[in-house]
Amino acid sequence: MDKKKVYSGIRATGRLHLGNYFGAVKGMLQLQDKYDCVFSVVDLHAITTPYDPNTLKQNVRDVILDYLAAGLDPEKCLIEIQSSVPEHTELAYLLSTIYPVSRLEDLPTYKDKKVQYPKYINMGLLFYPVLMAADILLYKAEFVPVGIDQEPHLEVTREIARKFNQMFGQTFPEPQRFKSDGEYVPSLTGEGKMSKTIEGSFILLTDDLATIKYRLAAVPTDSGKLGGEVPKTGGIATLFSLLRLFERDDLYKKYEQDYKEGNIKYSEMKKEIADVIFNTLKPIQQKRAKLEDSFDLNEMIEKHTQICREVANQTLTQVKQEMGLI
Ligand code: TRP
């Protein structure tokens, strides 16, 4: 029996942060041992929002290094740069012909981006979910380890797969999101999720202890004298979430008690959280430094790209045959 297929990608916006780590990478690590996995750096998605062409390639390399440092094993999974496998865009175009524009215009992610970048509302942004569907369907993936915010895009992917299967015959599985624990990492600003495009919201996997402390210092709190239940939103909630994510229930309980009694000391709590985070990140950073010194990234990418393109080509040929093009 063929192993089940897995696909996931992270936008090439530079080094990974804790949101990427808990939302996607942890799921990837769990799946790479069991399934046929392709993990991508999606540079074609990254260029739908404002970006600097001079740093894009370095951003791609940074994501790959972070992937490897965090534990993705190039002997177990395939690592892909999306734009090096042109079958993605070809399949995306073909799939776009069976999907309504009105559905794309209604997606919350598209609406949010329009508000975030009112001067950058381009066709690629509207097309984003179709390209993402093509990413996943190109490899006939059944599981997609991504954060919960990507659920609407996965729904689009399933709709496209279903419609294609109805129109042209059974071709694609309907992929499911693979949930990992702690998939939602709140922003350090206390509003929304941790995101690379929101300054002051994130902690990078490569941050040293001083930087982590500096970033945490900016998390908004209160006087510490209020007492009562721990808030569910805002900066204080973020601090408690971090203790949960890093599985420090002991510290969670301690500070919850302090909060209830109205004598919580946030400076002490933040210092302790910084230590907890840095202790987890340290081995990842040490591995990254070693890879930077000695690992031949280009050779690996070349090898993996070749394998990816072979698989991608099979799907694309099948799709073109079914659609009557060849
Ligand atoms: N949209 C995803 C994100 O922002 C990135 C992405 C692009 C992706 N293509 C994908 C994730 C395919 C999973 C599978 O996180």
Side-chain angles (χ1 to χ4, degrees):
M1 261 257 305
D2 269 0
K3 279 202 232 167
K4 285 198 193 309
K5 313 275 188 290
V6 174
Y7 186 94
S8 188
I10 292 181
R11 286 160 51 107
T13 43
R15 295 170 178 233
L16 299 187
H17 52 73
L18 293 179
N20 302 127
Y21 182 68
F22 286 104
V25 178
K26 273 195 122 179
M28 295 176 181
L29 292 172
Q30 279 180 42
L31 293 169
Q32 69 172 349
D33 291 321
K34 282 191 268 175
Y35 301 111
D36 275 342
C37 299
V38 178
F39 298 128
S40 188
V41 187
V42 291
D43 50 356
L44 296 173
H45 279 113
I47 64 175
T48 58
T49 44
Y51 76 103
D52 178 0
N54 297 313
T55 55
L56 184 60
K57 281 218 268 308
Q58 186 53 45
N59 287 345
V60 170
R61 287 180 80 83
D62 276 331
V63 176
I64 296 175
L65 279 171
D66 279 342
Y67 271 167
L68 299 175
L72 290 193
D73 180 349
E75 302 294 322
K76 291 183 183 162
C77 62
L78 290 167
I79 294 175
E80 176 205 63
I81 300 172
Q82 186 189 30
S83 65
S84 311
V85 181
E87 286 79 4
H88 284 276
T89 39
E90 197 171 347
L91 181 63
Y93 173 77
L94 296 173
L95 297 179
S96 78
T97 64
I98 64 166
Y99 202 71
V101 175
S102 55
R103 263 289 276 141
L104 296 172
E105 283 168 336
D106 271 347
L107 285 175
T109 39
Y110 177 63
K111 287 185 181 160
D112 288 351
K113 284 283 182 317
K114 282 209 309 197
V115 175
Q116 204 180 349
Y117 305 107
K119 296 217 172 78
Y120 219 83
I121 306 172
N122 58 77
M123 280 268 285
L125 210 51
L126 184 67
F127 199 75
Y128 187 112
V130 181
L131 180 59
M132 177 162 162
D135 294 340
I136 298 164
L137 298 178
L138 191 58
Y139 294 100
K140 301 192 176 179
E142 290 184 53
F143 298 128
V144 183
V146 276
I148 192 157
D149 59 304
Q150 294 300 307
E151 194 58 73
H153 290 155
L154 280 175
E155 191 52 42
V156 171
T157 308
R158 287 190 285 271
E159 284 171 14
I160 291 178
R162 214 172 298 142
K163 186 140 181 228
F164 189 96
N165 293 343
Q166 277 165 10
M167 289 175 74
F168 304 109
Q170 183 60 39
T171 308
F172 298 118
E174 288 183 29
Q176 298 298 321
R177 195 167 69 83
F178 179 82
K179 305 180 185 81
S180 49
D181 14 301
E183 54 190 340
Y184 184 83
V185 183
S187 163
L188 297 185
T189 61
E191 261 173 68
K193 68 162 191 167
M194 194 174 276
S195 163
K196 194 61 195 291
T197 52
I198 300 168
E199 214 28 68
S201 84
F202 56 81
I203 290 173
L204 298 176
L205 299 189
T206 44
D207 282 344
D208 59 19
L209 185 59
T211 308
I212 296 172
K213 281 187 178 160
Y214 172 81
R215 295 195 198 270
L216 284 175
V219 176
T221 54
D222 58 23
S223 66
K225 297 193 177 70
L226 292 173
E229 288 304 313
V230 171
K232 298 228 174 341
T233 55
I236 298 162
T238 297
L239 294 176
F240 277 96
S241 296
L242 287 169
L243 289 174
R244 271 271 147 80
L245 285 164
F246 284 89
E247 294 170 40
R248 288 304 299 267
D249 282 356
D250 54 330
L251 292 177
Y252 188 101
K253 287 207 186 86
K254 171 182 180 290
Y255 285 107
E256 185 183 35
Q257 193 58 33
D258 289 354
Y259 188 92
K260 280 184 178 155
E261 288 165 8
N263 61 11
I264 187 167
K265 293 207 176 45
Y266 292 114
S267 57
E268 179 199 317
M269 182 188 192
K270 286 177 173 180
K271 192 178 161 299
E272 209 147 18
I273 296 175
D275 286 334
V276 166
I277 295 176
F278 185 63
N279 281 337
T280 302
L281 297 187
K282 203 157 88 181
I284 299 178
Q285 294 176 4
Q286 283 166 342
K287 185 153 178 210
R288 195 185 206 274
K290 242 194 243 157
L291 289 165
E292 266 174 298
D293 276 353
S294 60
F295 187 73
D296 192 340
L297 213 58
N298 292 340
E299 190 189 309
M300 180 207 82
I301 304 270
E302 224 170 277
K303 218 168 85 189
H304 285 212
T305 303
Q306 213 181 339
I307 305 171
C308 286
R309 288 204 67 185
E310 276 167 31
V311 180
N313 241 302
Q314 285 175 13
T315 306
L316 196 60
T317 303
Q318 183 190 359
V319 166
K320 283 165 124 180
Q321 279 167 347
E322 285 166 340
M323 292 183 80
L325 290 159
I326 50 174

